[in-house]
Amino acid sequence: MTPGLMERLWSAPGTKVMLIAHGRSPVRDSSLLLVDAASIDPTRTPVYLGHTTVAGAGPAGSEPAGTDVVLLMLKEPSNQWEGDESVRWIGLREAATELPARDAALFVEAAAIANWHATHTHCPRCGTPTDVESGGWVRRCPVDNSEHFPRTDPAIIATVIDENDRLLLGSSAQWSNKRFSTLAGFVEPGESLEAAVIREIAEESGVRVHSPRYLGSQPWPFPASLMLGFTARAHSAEAVPDGVEISDLRWFTRQELTEAVGSGEVVIASGASIARSLIEHWYGGPIAEPAGPQP
Ligand SMILES: [Zn+2]
């Protein structure tokens, strides 16, 4: 990163600042509330999030494509909009469903890097507090000079399909018993993504799968995951929940899933999630849900 970049960004008139505190940021009228850098006292370490490639949904001309955005991590939400009913501080889950694509993407990036800074304040080699460098994307130990970079933890999430083209969904022991989703789990050190799919499915359901095929990914910074979506074929349909992470397993034909979701008997992941995309990839299109709030 260019030396002096942060100073230049901070004094440039077009630079916008995103605020985050405890994983929440201010929004106004369903778009991210970015403030002018000039109105902020840069007492805390800022992180350069980059420049936008599309315009924001805010007031016309205020956030054109190419706007530089800097993240400021606050200890507590700022009270500067107290009394302004149009401003709310929201978290990542709401951001993913409520904000336009540019803002949702900024939010995911901001939440991920803020999580990393919050949990990596000291050198893992010697315990010394680290310094922030490179626009907030490196932390360096002043004693042993080691550099530390933001980490991402890969996790796989997969549809499992049997020889009759049925889909396997599981219900987590921690969820309402109506909620069913694709199986998922973290990739272990030294493991390929394909091996992780085969192992996780076997552990959670007893089903042995083959031919895992990559379909797409979604960053999931709770706190630092990257969900890698797969589809795999089952050798057999005999499924047994592990009883720890998964409490129930069901095979669905498309007709059965249509009816179960339509009647509210089964609730599947929301439209903003990779789980929903994977399920609809198998289904062949959007799945209709009953009107009204979901449990
Ligand atoms: Zn150190």
Side-chain angles (χ1 to χ4, degrees):
M1 189 157 298
T2 330
L5 175 70
M6 286 313 288
E7 290 72 19
R8 276 209 304 285
L9 284 171
W10 212 258
S11 56
T15 301
K16 294 288 182 181
V17 179
M18 177 176 173
L19 305 174
I20 194 166
H22 304 300
R24 304 178 82 79
S25 289
V27 299
R28 171 180 276 149
D29 303 330
S30 298
S31 70
L32 212 44
L33 208 176
L34 304 178
V35 298
D36 291 330
S39 70
I40 296 275
D41 176 20
T43 48
R44 297 183 65 79
T45 307
V47 176
Y48 179 44
L49 295 181
H51 61 266
T52 60
T53 53
V54 295
S62 66
E63 296 165 20
T67 296
D68 286 304
V69 183
V70 171
L71 178 70
L72 210 57
M73 297 173 286
L74 307 176
K75 281 217 166 74
E76 297 299 333
S78 144
N79 58 7
Q80 68 185 105
W81 296 286
E82 221 161 63
D84 183 342
E85 303 257 308
S86 67
V87 177
R88 296 172 297 143
W89 289 69
I90 66 168
L92 184 55
R93 286 175 199 275
E94 297 151 286
T97 54
E98 294 178 20
L99 299 185
R102 184 208 71 161
D103 293 5
L106 265 176
F107 209 116
V108 171
E109 181 188 357
I113 193 75
N115 280 345
W116 176 68
H117 279 290
T119 53
H120 291 75
T121 52
H122 291 67
C123 176
R125 293 191 190 173
C126 72
T128 304
T130 45
D131 299 325
V132 177
E133 290 187 354
S134 296
W137 292 88
V138 174
R139 298 186 74 109
R140 185 187 296 274
C141 175
V143 173
D144 56 34
N145 208 32
S146 58
E147 287 180 300
H148 306 282
F149 298 91
R151 56 179 286 176
T152 294
D153 301 329
I156 58 86
I157 178 164
T159 50
V160 176
I161 298 166
D162 75 0
E163 60 183 11
N164 297 314
D165 212 19
R166 294 184 304 169
L167 174 70
L168 180 67
L169 295 179
S171 190
S172 163
Q174 299 163 16
W175 300 343
S176 111
N177 54 13
K178 283 184 163 187
R179 192 168 153 209
F180 279 78
S181 196
T182 43
L183 303 182
F186 283 107
V187 179
E188 294 184 342
E191 189 174 49
S192 70
L193 298 176
E194 292 81 0
V197 171
I198 293 166
R199 176 186 52 76
E200 275 293 339
I201 303 297
E203 284 178 2
E204 294 186 352
S205 71
V207 175
R208 298 198 58 84
V209 298
H210 63 93
S211 313
R213 187 160 63 87
Y214 176 71
L215 294 178
S217 65
Q218 181 177 47
W220 194 248
F222 295 105
S225 302
L226 176 65
M227 305 299 293
L228 297 139
F230 282 79
T231 185
R233 310 295 303 197
H235 281 294
S236 82
E238 194 183 335
V240 182
D242 66 6
V244 182
E245 290 184 57
I246 299 298
S247 54
D248 195 8
L249 289 161
R250 280 176 65 176
W251 290 98
F252 293 90
T253 63
R254 288 178 185 76
Q255 183 65 30
E256 286 165 352
L257 191 64
T258 305
E259 288 169 10
V261 172
S263 70
E265 178 206 343
V266 161
V267 175
I268 56 173
S270 77
S273 65
I274 189 169
R276 180 59 168 258
S277 300
L278 293 173
I279 293 169
E280 291 187 341
H281 178 268
W282 161 81
Y283 190 78
I287 299 171
E289 278 164 304
Q294 298 300 302

